[in-house]
Amino acid sequence: MGFYSANTLEQKRVKQLTGDINIHDMFKNECKTRGIPIYNAYNIQKRLIHEVEQEELVGVENVDNRLMELLDERGKNKVTHRYVDFVSKEDSASRGVIPPKGDSDKLPPKEQIKIPPRARDGQTFQTDNELPEMEMLKKIMLQNKKIINQNKIIIDLLKKQGENND
C-alpha cells in the first residue's frame, strides 16, 4: 500500500527551502550570511507557511520568489546569489499526489448503466416494466400486507395510549 501525502507542492517546497519544525542548516547559514537573526528566520518560515495555507502563494515559482523577497527585505548584507537555486525542485515535487478530477470523468446516463447479475446464481432481476402481470400482482399484494401489518401495530399502540389516558 502506498503512502499519500496531503501536503501541496507549495507546502513541500517551503519545507524543502526552510525546514520543518527545526530550520535547516543551509537556511540558517543563508540567514547568517545575510545578517538576519535566527528569530527572523523563524518568522520568515512562519510567514511563508501562512501565505501558502491562505492560498496567497500558488505555484513553486511564487514560493521561491516570495522567499527571496523576504530574505532581501530582512537582510542587512547584500548577497550575489539566489538561495533558492541551491535547493533542487525535484525533491519537493509531489510524486504520490492524486491529480485533480477533470470534467471528462462524468458518469454515463442512468439508462446506460446496467447492473450485473448476482454472482451466486447468475440470476438477473427484471424491472417493473418487464415483470409479467401475475408477478406484479404478487409484488403489490406483498407490499399491501406489509402496510396492513404496520397499521395494525400503530392501532394497537394508539389503543394502549388511549387506555393509559383514561
Side-chain angles (χ1 to χ4, degrees):
M1 178 178 260
F3 175 73
Y4 174 71
S5 174
N7 292 339
T8 61
L9 286 172
E10 293 86 6
Q11 289 171 328
K12 287 184 178 185
R13 185 64 178 164
V14 170
K15 287 180 183 176
Q16 187 73 25
L17 291 169
T18 62
D20 199 0
I21 296 169
N22 298 319
I23 291 183
H24 285 312
D25 292 334
M26 199 166 145
F27 187 60
K28 280 183 189 174
N29 293 339
E30 180 66 24
C31 290
K32 205 178 286 181
T33 307
R34 291 175 181 265
I36 300 172
I38 191 71
Y39 64 87
N40 269 344
Y42 279 106
N43 290 342
I44 290 171
Q45 180 188 33
K46 286 180 186 175
R47 181 81 228 153
L48 275 176
I49 291 171
H50 176 72
E51 288 181 10
V52 166
E53 286 174 351
Q54 297 300 317
E55 296 178 0
E56 294 173 19
L57 295 177
V58 178
V60 175
E61 290 295 323
N62 291 339
V63 172
D64 291 356
N65 293 336
R66 181 66 178 143
L67 175 63
M68 290 309 298
E69 285 175 22
L70 291 171
L71 286 173
D72 290 339
E73 282 176 19
R74 307 266 171 102
K76 296 179 178 90
N77 307 333
K78 289 292 177 196
V79 180
T80 57
H81 62 273
R82 273 177 57 94
Y83 167 70
V84 294
D85 293 337
F86 293 127
V87 183
S88 70
K89 291 183 181 178
E90 288 79 32
D91 294 340
S92 62
S94 279
R95 290 181 206 96
V97 172
I98 298 171
K101 185 176 180 182
D103 293 338
S104 62
D105 297 334
K106 292 185 178 175
L107 291 174
K110 195 173 183 179
E111 297 80 39
Q112 292 179 3
I113 298 175
K114 296 291 182 192
I115 299 172
R118 294 190 305 184
R120 65 177 180 264
D121 56 7
Q123 174 183 354
T124 58
F125 298 103
Q126 297 175 336
T127 61
D128 287 345
N129 300 335
E130 297 169 346
L131 284 175
E133 189 174 326
M134 198 63 186
E135 291 292 321
M136 188 63 114
L137 289 174
K138 286 181 183 176
K139 189 175 178 182
I140 293 171
M141 292 269 296
L142 183 64
Q143 287 175 344
N144 287 341
K145 281 184 183 177
K146 288 179 182 176
I147 292 171
I148 290 171
N149 287 338
Q150 288 173 348
N151 288 342
K152 284 181 183 176
I153 293 171
I154 292 171
I155 290 171
D156 289 340
L157 290 173
L158 287 173
K159 283 181 183 177
K160 288 180 183 176
Q161 191 72 26
E163 291 172 4
N164 291 343
N165 289 341
D166 291 340

